[in-house]
Amino acid sequence: MNEKRILLADDDGALREMLAMTLEMEGYHVAQADDAEATITALEAGVFDILLLDMGMPPHEHDIQEGLRVLEWLQQHPRDLKCIVLTGQDPERSAYRAIKAGAFDYLSKPVEESALLQAVERAGLFLDNERRLRQEEQTQKVTLTLPLGQGVKPARNLAEEQLLRQVLEETGFNIHETARALNMNRENVYYLLKKYGIRRPDS
Amino acid sequence: MDLIPSDNALILLPFLMVLTGGVLFVAALYVHLQASRLSNLIQQLLLISRSHEGDPLRFIPLSLDLLEHARVVDRAFVELQWFGQHLTFGQSTSDGQADESCRHHAIESDEIVLRAIICPRRKLRGEQVSIFELIANLWLELLSSQVNDRLAQIHFSEQQLKRYELFYKHDLKNLAQFMHLLSGQMRRCDTPDCSHALLERLKKVLPDLEERASRILQHLGKKSSDEWSGVEGISLAQLVKMEGRALDLPVEVRGDAEVFVESVTFQHGLRNVMENFKHHPGTRHVRALIETTPQKVILRLTSDALTGRLSEMERARMFEPFWTTSKSGMGLGLYIARQNFHKACRARLDVEQLDDNHWAFVIVCPRLGAPPPAQS
């Protein structure tokens, strides 16, 4: 039985219910959100393994900006989850933007049920193995989108920032724990917070 | 030397001063009148431009009336291709007067072509030349702005339509996705509990689904013209009767002809035209008259409700996109119909005055032969 928790973000209530039922029958625990705001609220409040995200949601159902908003929020507030985009938007336009913004997979509506379940399973497999990697080898996988031809400094900074954000999220913004996890002193953590303009979520 | 002025000089000096004063007064009065007339004309031009923003068909005749009374303008003329209608306004300059002193202006787009000319009166001198230049520049600028505003409005409306299309495609894809998942569920549900759960879920989503489905169906009635193809011979009389039945309109048809057309496109155009009868109050039945000549087939559609004498302007308005007198319509029916007829068989949709008090829609279809049989 699958224990993974999935957050379904789609503005179409009927489709959302049907997706939920399909996934629940496979043993997944499913929560639902009908717009970007509700998705972000759910991500803040709960822990999910997979986010199934529609890019076109109110008030911009015909555009990808609401989906991008969620993906950008995830970049700023990294979560230990995989995001699969399931959308009816033009793939030419939206797939590139979604993947650039950190989506793990991209499915274009309408997709066969088997293809959808395979994608969810694949995302779960990657997630499990990345978690195992972290547990067994104390390594954190970081995915970066970097500009070419600007040397390694931007890569170093981006990796540093993303790693810091991830650890901060995991420790609930506990500076002491973060410093310990990253093997640095607290002053250095404060320096990096200032350098990358990272603030406490409640400030 | 006699320094005492003579009597004549004493009389002449005040006279000269009075004369100079008089001349200055007349000159000032002249300047004042010219300025006031110019200012009045400019204000009126701006006023009609503002009150008919983006509507050149109203602005042009009104502004030409004003220019007619401007003393520095001899004549102004506008030639307009307006969504397939040719319109002219003002006095033509074909008598050779359109010389170098005339000002010309042209705008060319896909569906609006404008050529304007404004000529000064002969023998203008001094400040009158400047006044003419000022008025001509202003009028041509306003004219240009009117046409460009209209083009921008149309472009904006087209963008809105595209957005509209995106909305319904979004619905359609979601519905297709729903059906995929539902059919998967149906296949897999082999226990009463599962079937019950599926049914309960379906009950929950049905209202939402129904609303979306009806929204899609509404749009499917307006298919894109890109979808049609296939030339075939059809009986025009039968087609008119069929469309009449579809719209619940009594139709009386006289004559018949077989036309080789892209049938669905043609039918779509015919429906757009006949919908006008449907929405026209007072239509009891539609009369269709089909005539044939060696070169063309002519279909005239009229009813007792199509009364009055149509002006050139009204004709142009009928085929202008997004122009409508109806509160519910978008003003695209006849515009699209004209395009569809052209695409279907290079036919031309127009309106024709039948007599002093009645008019008809007329579709002139060139007689095209049957398409060559497909080669195996």
Side-chain angles (χ1 to χ4, degrees):
Chain A
M1 198 68 175
N2 212 317
E3 292 292 321
K4 294 256 174 324
R5 290 145 302 184
I6 298 179
L7 176 60
L8 267 179
D10 199 307
D11 60 316
D12 186 326
L15 176 60
R16 213 171 52 234
E17 283 294 328
M18 198 44 68
L19 280 167
M21 189 168 179
T22 305
L23 294 166
E24 279 166 6
M25 280 182 78
E26 293 298 308
Y28 295 104
H29 298 284
V30 180
Q32 302 183 22
D34 59 0
D35 62 17
E37 204 55 55
T39 309
I40 291 170
T41 308
L43 287 169
E44 275 176 329
V47 179
F48 298 97
D49 301 299
I50 292 163
L51 167 64
L52 207 54
L53 177 69
D54 179 17
M55 296 298 278
M57 289 189 287
H60 304 105
E61 292 96 330
H62 59 289
D63 209 341
I64 59 173
Q65 65 195 78
E66 292 301 303
L68 281 181
R69 205 178 124 208
V70 175
L71 288 169
E72 278 158 13
W73 185 89
L74 277 171
Q75 283 187 322
Q76 295 295 310
H77 306 86
R79 293 288 188 272
D80 187 21
L81 59 74
K82 294 287 173 202
C83 175
I84 301 170
V85 167
L86 172 63
T87 191
Q89 305 290 326
D90 174 24
E92 289 253 336
R93 212 162 47 92
S94 60
Y96 172 78
R97 300 278 303 275
I99 290 165
K100 189 180 170 192
F104 170 75
D105 205 346
Y106 183 95
L107 299 171
S108 196
K109 284 180 189 169
V111 66
E112 291 290 336
E113 187 195 59
S114 56
L116 172 73
L117 291 174
Q118 271 171 19
V120 172
E121 200 179 329
R122 191 164 51 241
L125 184 76
F126 269 78
L127 194 71
D128 285 343
N129 285 290
E130 281 172 21
R131 282 175 180 165
R132 195 172 149 200
L133 200 68
R134 196 161 55 228
Q135 217 167 28
E136 291 180 5
E137 301 186 26
Q138 295 294 307
T139 56
Q140 173 75 48
K141 190 178 173 195
V142 173
T143 309
L144 298 172
T145 306
L146 294 165
L148 293 174
Q150 291 182 17
V152 293
K153 197 177 173 190
R156 196 179 62 210
N157 286 346
L158 265 171
E160 193 173 56
E161 182 185 348
Q162 195 158 326
L163 191 62
L164 180 65
R165 283 185 186 277
Q166 280 182 4
V167 177
L168 282 166
E169 289 290 337
E170 279 166 20
T171 61
F173 225 94
N174 183 320
I175 302 298
H176 178 73
E177 284 293 312
T178 304
R180 202 170 59 81
L182 294 172
N183 195 23
M184 53 172 62
N185 59 39
R186 284 166 55 182
E187 286 70 29
N188 281 347
V189 175
Y190 281 121
Y191 166 76
L192 291 177
L193 289 179
K194 194 175 174 191
K195 179 179 175 184
Y196 298 116
I198 301 170
R199 291 182 179 182
R200 274 184 185 281
D202 52 357
S203 65
Chain B
M1 197 171 163
D2 189 3
L3 291 175
I4 300 166
S6 67
D7 288 349
N8 284 348
L10 279 172
I11 295 166
L12 200 59
L13 191 62
F15 175 75
L16 279 175
M17 286 174 74
V18 169
L19 190 67
T20 310
V23 167
L24 283 173
F25 176 76
V26 170
L29 190 67
Y30 173 78
V31 169
H32 173 75
L33 285 175
Q34 288 281 32
S36 144
R37 198 173 290 133
L38 182 63
S39 149
N40 196 25
L41 182 63
I42 289 172
Q43 275 179 23
Q44 287 190 60
L45 273 175
L46 290 173
L47 186 72
I48 57 169
S49 172
R50 210 173 300 130
S51 51
H52 301 291
E53 208 168 311
D55 190 0
L57 291 194
R58 282 186 189 277
F59 172 77
I60 294 169
L62 290 172
S63 64
L64 285 176
D65 277 352
L66 275 179
L67 293 177
E68 216 172 80
H69 298 104
R71 295 183 176 190
V72 288
V73 178
D74 179 56
R75 61 187 71 188
F77 176 70
V78 178
E79 191 179 5
L80 202 55
Q81 286 291 341
W82 191 254
F83 305 99
Q85 291 293 123
H86 182 253
L87 297 168
T88 56
F89 301 89
Q91 288 174 281
S92 164
T93 50
S94 56
D95 61 353
Q97 216 268 317
D99 55 21
E100 287 172 359
S101 58
C102 294
R103 300 284 312 275
H104 300 255
H105 189 68
I107 295 176
E108 287 197 21
S109 73
D110 285 348
E111 292 176 296
I112 301 179
V113 177
L114 172 137
R115 284 192 183 80
I117 184 165
I118 179 166
C119 300
R121 281 188 191 276
R122 289 169 202 270
K123 297 173 188 168
L124 284 187
R125 278 189 302 270
E127 83 289 346
Q128 288 188 321
V129 176
S130 307
I131 290 173
F132 169 77
E133 285 293 320
L134 182 66
I135 289 170
N137 281 341
L138 178 69
W139 182 66
L140 292 174
E141 281 293 325
L142 291 174
L143 198 55
S144 170
S145 146
Q146 287 278 338
V147 173
N148 287 329
D149 277 356
R150 186 72 187 116
L151 288 170
Q153 281 171 8
I154 289 165
H155 179 70
F156 179 67
S157 304
E158 282 172 352
Q159 294 299 314
Q160 280 186 318
L161 268 190
K162 279 183 188 160
R163 278 167 56 112
Y164 206 46
E165 199 178 313
L166 280 177
F167 272 105
Y168 101 80
K169 277 186 179 164
H170 175 248
D171 280 347
L172 201 59
K173 283 179 179 173
N174 279 356
L175 195 63
Q177 182 66 77
F178 179 89
M179 294 310 293
H180 269 305
L181 295 173
L182 179 63
S183 97
Q185 295 290 318
M186 301 281 272
R187 270 198 306 272
R188 285 196 295 163
C189 253
D190 49 7
T191 65
D193 280 354
C194 178
S195 302
H196 181 71
L198 183 60
L199 195 66
E200 285 303 308
R201 216 120 191 183
L202 280 176
K203 272 186 194 167
K204 194 175 161 189
V205 303
L206 215 56
D208 186 34
L209 204 62
E210 212 176 339
E211 188 203 319
R212 288 195 179 228
S214 62
R215 217 157 59 190
I216 294 164
L217 283 173
Q218 234 177 8
H219 283 94
L220 284 180
K222 296 170 182 172
K223 288 184 185 176
S224 149
S225 56
D226 296 341
E227 292 171 40
W228 318 128
S229 62
V231 173
E232 57 178 319
I234 53 170
S235 154
L236 211 45
Q238 276 183 20
L239 192 64
V240 172
K241 283 177 189 167
M242 196 173 83
E243 285 305 314
R245 277 197 298 275
L247 293 167
D248 200 20
L249 270 173
V251 183
E252 175 198 323
V253 185
R254 273 193 283 161
D256 192 11
E258 188 183 31
V259 284
F260 288 90
V261 296
E262 276 186 31
S263 58
V264 188
T265 315
F266 193 90
Q267 189 180 347
H268 199 55
L270 191 59
R271 179 166 293 190
N272 278 334
V273 174
M274 290 182 70
E275 273 174 349
N276 278 275
F277 292 100
K278 180 82 184 164
H279 302 308
H280 207 293
T283 301
R284 282 198 297 276
H285 71 280
V286 177
R287 289 191 301 278
L289 177 66
I290 301 163
E291 272 180 48
T292 53
T293 72
Q295 287 82 30
K296 55 196 175 185
V297 176
I298 305 160
L299 167 64
R300 288 186 179 84
L301 292 163
T302 188
S303 83
D304 290 336
L306 302 189
T307 53
R309 179 162 276 282
L310 287 176
S311 66
E312 278 303 306
M313 182 84 87
E314 284 168 321
R315 286 174 179 224
R317 286 287 194 216
M318 272 190 202
F319 300 102
E320 181 181 334
F322 305 106
W323 179 267
T324 179
T325 50
S326 147
K327 280 179 185 167
S328 57
M330 293 184 74
L332 284 172
L334 291 173
Y335 171 71
I336 291 171
R338 182 176 260 185
Q339 291 181 336
N340 278 340
F341 283 123
H342 182 77
K343 194 181 168 200
C345 59
R346 282 182 275 135
R348 163 97 180 163
L349 167 66
D350 219 322
V351 284
E352 188 181 271
Q353 199 69 44
L354 296 177
D355 54 46
D356 276 351
N357 204 31
H358 288 94
W359 55 274
F361 289 104
V362 57
I363 298 141
V364 180
C365 197
R367 292 201 85 159
L368 305 175
Q375 288 182 354
S376 57

PDB file of all heavy atoms in Angstrom, chain B residues 257-280:
ATOM      1  N   ALA B 257     -30.378  25.746 -57.890  1.00  0.00           N
ATOM      2  CA  ALA B 257     -29.153  25.579 -58.677  1.00  0.00           C
ATOM      3  C   ALA B 257     -28.204  24.710 -57.877  1.00  0.00           C
ATOM      4  O   ALA B 257     -28.233  24.731 -56.643  1.00  0.00           O
ATOM      5  CB  ALA B 257     -28.511  26.934 -58.957  1.00  0.00           C
ATOM      6  N   GLU B 258     -27.399  23.958 -58.603  1.00  0.00           N
ATOM      7  CA  GLU B 258     -26.375  23.182 -57.907  1.00  0.00           C
ATOM      8  C   GLU B 258     -25.093  24.013 -57.893  1.00  0.00           C
ATOM      9  O   GLU B 258     -24.677  24.535 -58.928  1.00  0.00           O
ATOM     10  CB  GLU B 258     -26.140  21.854 -58.625  1.00  0.00           C
ATOM     11  CG  GLU B 258     -25.218  20.950 -57.824  1.00  0.00           C
ATOM     12  CD  GLU B 258     -24.904  19.645 -58.527  1.00  0.00           C
ATOM     13  OE1 GLU B 258     -24.865  19.638 -59.773  1.00  0.00           O
ATOM     14  OE2 GLU B 258     -24.673  18.653 -57.836  1.00  0.00           O
ATOM     15  N   VAL B 259     -24.534  24.153 -56.712  1.00  0.00           N
ATOM     16  CA  VAL B 259     -23.271  24.905 -56.621  1.00  0.00           C
ATOM     17  C   VAL B 259     -22.198  23.981 -56.055  1.00  0.00           C
ATOM     18  O   VAL B 259     -22.482  23.144 -55.205  1.00  0.00           O
ATOM     19  CB  VAL B 259     -23.406  26.165 -55.729  1.00  0.00           C
ATOM     20  CG1 VAL B 259     -24.137  27.269 -56.438  1.00  0.00           C
ATOM     21  CG2 VAL B 259     -24.069  25.851 -54.405  1.00  0.00           C
ATOM     22  N   PHE B 260     -20.981  24.148 -56.570  1.00  0.00           N
ATOM     23  CA  PHE B 260     -19.864  23.351 -56.050  1.00  0.00           C
ATOM     24  C   PHE B 260     -19.093  24.219 -55.073  1.00  0.00           C
ATOM     25  O   PHE B 260     -18.429  25.175 -55.468  1.00  0.00           O
ATOM     26  CB  PHE B 260     -18.978  22.851 -57.194  1.00  0.00           C
ATOM     27  CG  PHE B 260     -19.666  21.775 -57.977  1.00  0.00           C
ATOM     28  CD1 PHE B 260     -20.457  22.096 -59.075  1.00  0.00           C
ATOM     29  CD2 PHE B 260     -19.575  20.452 -57.577  1.00  0.00           C
ATOM     30  CE1 PHE B 260     -21.121  21.108 -59.779  1.00  0.00           C
ATOM     31  CE2 PHE B 260     -20.240  19.465 -58.276  1.00  0.00           C
ATOM     32  CZ  PHE B 260     -21.021  19.782 -59.379  1.00  0.00           C
ATOM     33  N   VAL B 261     -19.233  23.875 -53.821  1.00  0.00           N
ATOM     34  CA  VAL B 261     -18.670  24.726 -52.767  1.00  0.00           C
ATOM     35  C   VAL B 261     -18.087  23.842 -51.668  1.00  0.00           C
ATOM     36  O   VAL B 261     -18.366  22.646 -51.591  1.00  0.00           O
ATOM     37  CB  VAL B 261     -19.765  25.625 -52.131  1.00  0.00           C
ATOM     38  CG1 VAL B 261     -20.333  26.590 -53.127  1.00  0.00           C
ATOM     39  CG2 VAL B 261     -20.883  24.773 -51.526  1.00  0.00           C
ATOM     40  N   GLU B 262     -17.312  24.468 -50.799  1.00  0.00           N
ATOM     41  CA  GLU B 262     -16.944  23.793 -49.543  1.00  0.00           C
ATOM     42  C   GLU B 262     -18.211  23.857 -48.713  1.00  0.00           C
ATOM     43  O   GLU B 262     -18.544  24.886 -48.118  1.00  0.00           O
ATOM     44  CB  GLU B 262     -15.820  24.541 -48.836  1.00  0.00           C
ATOM     45  CG  GLU B 262     -14.456  24.183 -49.322  1.00  0.00           C
ATOM     46  CD  GLU B 262     -13.361  24.848 -48.494  1.00  0.00           C
ATOM     47  OE1 GLU B 262     -13.567  25.078 -47.294  1.00  0.00           O
ATOM     48  OE2 GLU B 262     -12.321  25.143 -49.078  1.00  0.00           O
ATOM     49  N   SER B 263     -18.933  22.747 -48.698  1.00  0.00           N
ATOM     50  CA  SER B 263     -20.324  22.797 -48.248  1.00  0.00           C
ATOM     51  C   SER B 263     -20.502  23.277 -46.818  1.00  0.00           C
ATOM     52  O   SER B 263     -21.391  24.074 -46.527  1.00  0.00           O
ATOM     53  CB  SER B 263     -20.979  21.434 -48.425  1.00  0.00           C
ATOM     54  OG  SER B 263     -20.241  20.492 -47.689  1.00  0.00           O
ATOM     55  N   VAL B 264     -19.652  22.817 -45.916  1.00  0.00           N
ATOM     56  CA  VAL B 264     -19.877  23.182 -44.509  1.00  0.00           C
ATOM     57  C   VAL B 264     -19.583  24.666 -44.280  1.00  0.00           C
ATOM     58  O   VAL B 264     -20.282  25.346 -43.540  1.00  0.00           O
ATOM     59  CB  VAL B 264     -19.040  22.290 -43.572  1.00  0.00           C
ATOM     60  CG1 VAL B 264     -19.418  22.534 -42.129  1.00  0.00           C
ATOM     61  CG2 VAL B 264     -19.258  20.835 -43.908  1.00  0.00           C
ATOM     62  N   THR B 265     -18.552  25.164 -44.956  1.00  0.00           N
ATOM     63  CA  THR B 265     -18.227  26.582 -44.831  1.00  0.00           C
ATOM     64  C   THR B 265     -19.364  27.430 -45.391  1.00  0.00           C
ATOM     65  O   THR B 265     -19.772  28.436 -44.804  1.00  0.00           O
ATOM     66  CB  THR B 265     -16.921  26.900 -45.610  1.00  0.00           C
ATOM     67  OG1 THR B 265     -15.973  25.907 -45.307  1.00  0.00           O
ATOM     68  CG2 THR B 265     -16.377  28.251 -45.252  1.00  0.00           C
ATOM     69  N   PHE B 266     -19.876  26.998 -46.538  1.00  0.00           N
ATOM     70  CA  PHE B 266     -20.972  27.714 -47.176  1.00  0.00           C
ATOM     71  C   PHE B 266     -22.208  27.706 -46.266  1.00  0.00           C
ATOM     72  O   PHE B 266     -22.864  28.723 -46.049  1.00  0.00           O
ATOM     73  CB  PHE B 266     -21.298  27.045 -48.520  1.00  0.00           C
ATOM     74  CG  PHE B 266     -22.188  27.865 -49.404  1.00  0.00           C
ATOM     75  CD1 PHE B 266     -21.648  28.764 -50.305  1.00  0.00           C
ATOM     76  CD2 PHE B 266     -23.563  27.747 -49.332  1.00  0.00           C
ATOM     77  CE1 PHE B 266     -22.457  29.527 -51.125  1.00  0.00           C
ATOM     78  CE2 PHE B 266     -24.386  28.501 -50.137  1.00  0.00           C
ATOM     79  CZ  PHE B 266     -23.838  29.396 -51.046  1.00  0.00           C
ATOM     80  N   GLN B 267     -22.468  26.526 -45.726  1.00  0.00           N
ATOM     81  CA  GLN B 267     -23.628  26.359 -44.847  1.00  0.00           C
ATOM     82  C   GLN B 267     -23.492  27.252 -43.609  1.00  0.00           C
ATOM     83  O   GLN B 267     -24.460  27.864 -43.154  1.00  0.00           O
ATOM     84  CB  GLN B 267     -23.692  24.887 -44.423  1.00  0.00           C
ATOM     85  CG  GLN B 267     -24.949  24.514 -43.681  1.00  0.00           C
ATOM     86  CD  GLN B 267     -24.931  23.047 -43.296  1.00  0.00           C
ATOM     87  OE1 GLN B 267     -24.105  22.271 -43.772  1.00  0.00           O
ATOM     88  NE2 GLN B 267     -25.842  22.668 -42.436  1.00  0.00           N
ATOM     89  N   HIS B 268     -22.274  27.332 -43.113  1.00  0.00           N
ATOM     90  CA  HIS B 268     -22.009  28.152 -41.939  1.00  0.00           C
ATOM     91  C   HIS B 268     -22.290  29.631 -42.246  1.00  0.00           C
ATOM     92  O   HIS B 268     -22.909  30.348 -41.449  1.00  0.00           O
ATOM     93  CB  HIS B 268     -20.547  27.956 -41.545  1.00  0.00           C
ATOM     94  CG  HIS B 268     -20.252  28.347 -40.150  1.00  0.00           C
ATOM     95  ND1 HIS B 268     -20.917  27.845 -39.074  1.00  0.00           N
ATOM     96  CD2 HIS B 268     -19.349  29.237 -39.660  1.00  0.00           C
ATOM     97  CE1 HIS B 268     -20.442  28.388 -37.967  1.00  0.00           C
ATOM     98  NE2 HIS B 268     -19.502  29.233 -38.294  1.00  0.00           N
ATOM     99  N   GLY B 269     -21.848  30.067 -43.444  1.00  0.00           N
ATOM    100  CA  GLY B 269     -22.105  31.452 -43.867  1.00  0.00           C
ATOM    101  C   GLY B 269     -23.590  31.704 -44.011  1.00  0.00           C
ATOM    102  O   GLY B 269     -24.112  32.739 -43.561  1.00  0.00           O
ATOM    103  N   LEU B 270     -24.287  30.727 -44.624  1.00  0.00           N
ATOM    104  CA  LEU B 270     -25.727  30.869 -44.840  1.00  0.00           C
ATOM    105  C   LEU B 270     -26.472  30.968 -43.509  1.00  0.00           C
ATOM    106  O   LEU B 270     -27.386  31.776 -43.337  1.00  0.00           O
ATOM    107  CB  LEU B 270     -26.238  29.680 -45.649  1.00  0.00           C
ATOM    108  CG  LEU B 270     -27.647  29.778 -46.200  1.00  0.00           C
ATOM    109  CD1 LEU B 270     -27.806  30.971 -47.121  1.00  0.00           C
ATOM    110  CD2 LEU B 270     -28.031  28.501 -46.934  1.00  0.00           C
ATOM    111  N   ARG B 271     -26.009  30.177 -42.560  1.00  0.00           N
ATOM    112  CA  ARG B 271     -26.667  30.225 -41.243  1.00  0.00           C
ATOM    113  C   ARG B 271     -26.473  31.593 -40.597  1.00  0.00           C
ATOM    114  O   ARG B 271     -27.397  32.164 -40.024  1.00  0.00           O
ATOM    115  CB  ARG B 271     -26.125  29.128 -40.331  1.00  0.00           C
ATOM    116  CG  ARG B 271     -26.781  29.192 -38.961  1.00  0.00           C
ATOM    117  CD  ARG B 271     -26.540  27.979 -38.152  1.00  0.00           C
ATOM    118  NE  ARG B 271     -27.196  26.809 -38.705  1.00  0.00           N
ATOM    119  CZ  ARG B 271     -27.300  25.648 -38.070  1.00  0.00           C
ATOM    120  NH1 ARG B 271     -26.803  25.513 -36.878  1.00  0.00           N
ATOM    121  NH2 ARG B 271     -27.899  24.623 -38.621  1.00  0.00           N
ATOM    122  N   ASN B 272     -25.257  32.131 -40.716  1.00  0.00           N
ATOM    123  CA  ASN B 272     -24.998  33.461 -40.142  1.00  0.00           C
ATOM    124  C   ASN B 272     -25.935  34.506 -40.727  1.00  0.00           C
ATOM    125  O   ASN B 272     -26.421  35.379 -40.023  1.00  0.00           O
ATOM    126  CB  ASN B 272     -23.544  33.883 -40.392  1.00  0.00           C
ATOM    127  CG  ASN B 272     -22.602  33.290 -39.381  1.00  0.00           C
ATOM    128  OD1 ASN B 272     -23.001  32.985 -38.265  1.00  0.00           O
ATOM    129  ND2 ASN B 272     -21.370  33.111 -39.762  1.00  0.00           N
ATOM    130  N   VAL B 273     -26.181  34.408 -42.054  1.00  0.00           N
ATOM    131  CA  VAL B 273     -27.071  35.375 -42.702  1.00  0.00           C
ATOM    132  C   VAL B 273     -28.511  35.143 -42.229  1.00  0.00           C
ATOM    133  O   VAL B 273     -29.221  36.089 -41.853  1.00  0.00           O
ATOM    134  CB  VAL B 273     -26.991  35.253 -44.238  1.00  0.00           C
ATOM    135  CG1 VAL B 273     -28.014  36.160 -44.896  1.00  0.00           C
ATOM    136  CG2 VAL B 273     -25.590  35.633 -44.719  1.00  0.00           C
ATOM    137  N   MET B 274     -28.918  33.890 -42.212  1.00  0.00           N
ATOM    138  CA  MET B 274     -30.322  33.607 -41.875  1.00  0.00           C
ATOM    139  C   MET B 274     -30.626  33.876 -40.408  1.00  0.00           C
ATOM    140  O   MET B 274     -31.768  34.141 -40.039  1.00  0.00           O
ATOM    141  CB  MET B 274     -30.685  32.180 -42.285  1.00  0.00           C
ATOM    142  CG  MET B 274     -30.740  32.089 -43.818  1.00  0.00           C
ATOM    143  SD  MET B 274     -31.193  30.496 -44.456  1.00  0.00           S
ATOM    144  CE  MET B 274     -32.899  30.356 -44.016  1.00  0.00           C
ATOM    145  N   GLU B 275     -29.596  33.822 -39.572  1.00  0.00           N
ATOM    146  CA  GLU B 275     -29.808  34.167 -38.158  1.00  0.00           C
ATOM    147  C   GLU B 275     -30.261  35.614 -38.010  1.00  0.00           C
ATOM    148  O   GLU B 275     -30.949  35.971 -37.061  1.00  0.00           O
ATOM    149  CB  GLU B 275     -28.528  33.931 -37.358  1.00  0.00           C
ATOM    150  CG  GLU B 275     -28.415  32.497 -36.865  1.00  0.00           C
ATOM    151  CD  GLU B 275     -27.097  32.200 -36.189  1.00  0.00           C
ATOM    152  OE1 GLU B 275     -26.172  33.035 -36.273  1.00  0.00           O
ATOM    153  OE2 GLU B 275     -26.985  31.115 -35.603  1.00  0.00           O
ATOM    154  N   ASN B 276     -29.876  36.447 -38.979  1.00  0.00           N
ATOM    155  CA  ASN B 276     -30.318  37.854 -38.950  1.00  0.00           C
ATOM    156  C   ASN B 276     -31.828  37.961 -39.050  1.00  0.00           C
ATOM    157  O   ASN B 276     -32.433  38.838 -38.452  1.00  0.00           O
ATOM    158  CB  ASN B 276     -29.679  38.634 -40.097  1.00  0.00           C
ATOM    159  CG  ASN B 276     -28.290  39.054 -39.732  1.00  0.00           C
ATOM    160  OD1 ASN B 276     -28.105  40.080 -39.103  1.00  0.00           O
ATOM    161  ND2 ASN B 276     -27.312  38.252 -40.098  1.00  0.00           N
ATOM    162  N   PHE B 277     -32.429  37.071 -39.852  1.00  0.00           N
ATOM    163  CA  PHE B 277     -33.897  37.078 -39.981  1.00  0.00           C
ATOM    164  C   PHE B 277     -34.528  36.622 -38.671  1.00  0.00           C
ATOM    165  O   PHE B 277     -35.543  37.143 -38.245  1.00  0.00           O
ATOM    166  CB  PHE B 277     -34.339  36.139 -41.110  1.00  0.00           C
ATOM    167  CG  PHE B 277     -33.940  36.630 -42.468  1.00  0.00           C
ATOM    168  CD1 PHE B 277     -32.832  36.128 -43.115  1.00  0.00           C
ATOM    169  CD2 PHE B 277     -34.701  37.607 -43.112  1.00  0.00           C
ATOM    170  CE1 PHE B 277     -32.464  36.579 -44.362  1.00  0.00           C
ATOM    171  CE2 PHE B 277     -34.345  38.053 -44.366  1.00  0.00           C
ATOM    172  CZ  PHE B 277     -33.221  37.544 -45.001  1.00  0.00           C
ATOM    173  N   LYS B 278     -33.874  35.647 -38.090  1.00  0.00           N
ATOM    174  CA  LYS B 278     -34.389  35.067 -36.849  1.00  0.00           C
ATOM    175  C   LYS B 278     -34.464  36.155 -35.771  1.00  0.00           C
ATOM    176  O   LYS B 278     -35.428  36.228 -35.015  1.00  0.00           O
ATOM    177  CB  LYS B 278     -33.444  33.934 -36.421  1.00  0.00           C
ATOM    178  CG  LYS B 278     -33.841  33.227 -35.166  1.00  0.00           C
ATOM    179  CD  LYS B 278     -34.876  32.173 -35.421  1.00  0.00           C
ATOM    180  CE  LYS B 278     -35.330  31.524 -34.125  1.00  0.00           C
ATOM    181  NZ  LYS B 278     -36.567  30.798 -34.286  1.00  0.00           N
ATOM    182  N   HIS B 279     -33.403  36.964 -35.723  1.00  0.00           N
ATOM    183  CA  HIS B 279     -33.355  37.967 -34.664  1.00  0.00           C
ATOM    184  C   HIS B 279     -34.043  39.271 -35.051  1.00  0.00           C
ATOM    185  O   HIS B 279     -34.151  40.171 -34.230  1.00  0.00           O
ATOM    186  CB  HIS B 279     -31.902  38.246 -34.273  1.00  0.00           C
ATOM    187  CG  HIS B 279     -31.186  37.003 -33.819  1.00  0.00           C
ATOM    188  ND1 HIS B 279     -31.701  36.184 -32.843  1.00  0.00           N
ATOM    189  CD2 HIS B 279     -30.044  36.411 -34.225  1.00  0.00           C
ATOM    190  CE1 HIS B 279     -30.895  35.159 -32.658  1.00  0.00           C
ATOM    191  NE2 HIS B 279     -29.882  35.264 -33.492  1.00  0.00           N
ATOM    192  N   HIS B 280     -34.468  39.362 -36.312  1.00  0.00           N
ATOM    193  CA  HIS B 280     -35.084  40.613 -36.769  1.00  0.00           C
ATOM    194  C   HIS B 280     -36.566  40.606 -36.404  1.00  0.00           C
ATOM    195  O   HIS B 280     -37.305  39.730 -36.853  1.00  0.00           O
ATOM    196  CB  HIS B 280     -34.915  40.730 -38.286  1.00  0.00           C
ATOM    197  CG  HIS B 280     -34.894  42.141 -38.740  1.00  0.00           C
ATOM    198  ND1 HIS B 280     -36.006  42.942 -38.649  1.00  0.00           N
ATOM    199  CD2 HIS B 280     -33.922  42.904 -39.275  1.00  0.00           C
ATOM    200  CE1 HIS B 280     -35.699  44.140 -39.124  1.00  0.00           C
ATOM    201  NE2 HIS B 280     -34.430  44.146 -39.505  1.00  0.00           N
TER     202      HIS B 280
END
